[in-house]
Amino acid sequence: PVITLVILFSPKPWDGPMSIHEMLSDVKAELLPFIPDYRINLIAPADMSEASLDKFNTSLREVLLYIKYSSDKKQLSDLLDKDPHFRELDTEAAVVINTLTNSKLKFDRKGKTVNMCLAVQAMRQEERQEGRLEGRLEGRLEGRQEGESRINQLNSLLIDLNRFEDLKRAAKDSAYPAELMAEPLPNQ
């Protein structure tokens, strides 16, 4: 016999039809008895208990468990800490996890096994560093925009006051605008 399995590689529950008849919503009910109804044998990690997933005897178990908890950092962290299988996961299974969940894990693909706890810690450390860098860049950009706004206000005021020599000097001497801003200028 041939048994077809559908595996959902997503942490979200299955929301599609489970049989051919469920797919045929626009077919008249009196015709359905003449259409074979093939049931989908579905493996959806989000819909399975850990006890059900423990029945898998290959690294597919770890792949499905990781996918099941991939959208919940705390549960995933707890899983990686408590399950010893993740400390020596087949490299091929780690590649599958990395690809399916787009986790951006860093590990040696030439080795036979991967310690997923360490790979996830390295990924999170890198994310934190990238977040700090982005924050610094945003701060610099905001500071630059604020500085440009102040320079534009100064230039506009110098033009209004017909102080073109000061405007020319400020364009050539980067320290001069700070001197001018320290000087009490009339507001117009």
Side-chain angles (χ1 to χ4, degrees):
V2 175
I3 300 173
T4 303
L5 297 175
V6 175
I7 302 176
L8 176 65
F9 290 112
S10 171
K12 297 176 183 171
W14 176 264
D15 62 353
M18 292 296 295
S19 70
I20 298 292
H21 283 194
E22 287 180 25
M23 289 182 206
L24 304 174
S25 59
D26 57 342
V27 173
K28 294 180 181 180
E30 57 266 9
L31 292 178
L32 287 178
F34 302 104
I35 300 171
D37 189 21
Y38 297 103
R39 188 175 150 267
I40 294 175
N41 296 304
L42 177 68
I43 297 174
D47 298 330
M48 298 176 73
S49 67
E50 281 192 39
S52 296
L53 290 168
D54 281 341
K55 294 177 183 176
F56 290 95
N57 294 321
T58 66
S59 57
L60 180 61
R61 172 192 171 273
E62 286 76 40
V63 170
L64 296 175
L65 277 168
Y66 191 99
I67 290 169
K68 178 180 179 80
Y69 297 119
S70 64
S71 60
D72 185 333
K73 287 183 180 182
K74 180 170 180 2
Q75 282 189 308
L76 181 61
S77 183
D78 290 345
L79 173 71
L80 295 176
D81 288 341
K82 75 175 184 177
D83 191 329
H85 292 101
F86 283 100
R87 290 190 193 94
E88 290 188 5
L89 186 65
D90 292 338
T91 302
E92 291 175 1
V95 169
V96 169
I97 287 171
N98 208 18
T99 303
L100 295 176
T101 61
N102 196 25
S103 293
K104 299 180 179 96
L105 299 171
K106 305 288 183 194
F107 55 89
D108 180 15
R109 292 177 181 238
K110 295 177 184 170
K112 288 185 176 188
T113 62
V114 173
N115 184 330
M116 290 297 286
C117 301
L118 297 177
V120 169
Q121 286 173 358
M123 176 211 35
R124 288 186 179 153
Q125 177 66 24
E126 189 172 292
E127 284 176 349
R128 282 192 292 273
Q129 289 173 344
E130 288 174 0
R132 283 192 291 260
L133 178 61
E134 286 176 15
R136 286 192 301 236
L137 291 175
E138 286 174 10
R140 286 182 184 171
L141 181 60
E142 288 171 6
R144 179 178 286 162
Q145 289 169 341
E146 183 180 316
E148 288 173 358
S149 175
R150 291 183 65 208
I151 292 291
N152 288 339
Q153 289 173 351
L154 175 65
N155 290 343
S156 178
L157 184 59
L158 291 173
I159 290 168
D160 289 345
L161 295 172
N162 293 321
R163 292 179 60 179
F164 296 109
E165 291 304 315
D166 287 329
L167 185 61
K168 286 180 187 176
R169 182 174 170 200
K172 293 178 183 174
D173 181 359
S174 61
Y176 192 56
E179 290 177 36
L180 289 171
M181 285 184 201
E183 174 184 318
L185 294 171
N187 291 326
Q188 287 187 340

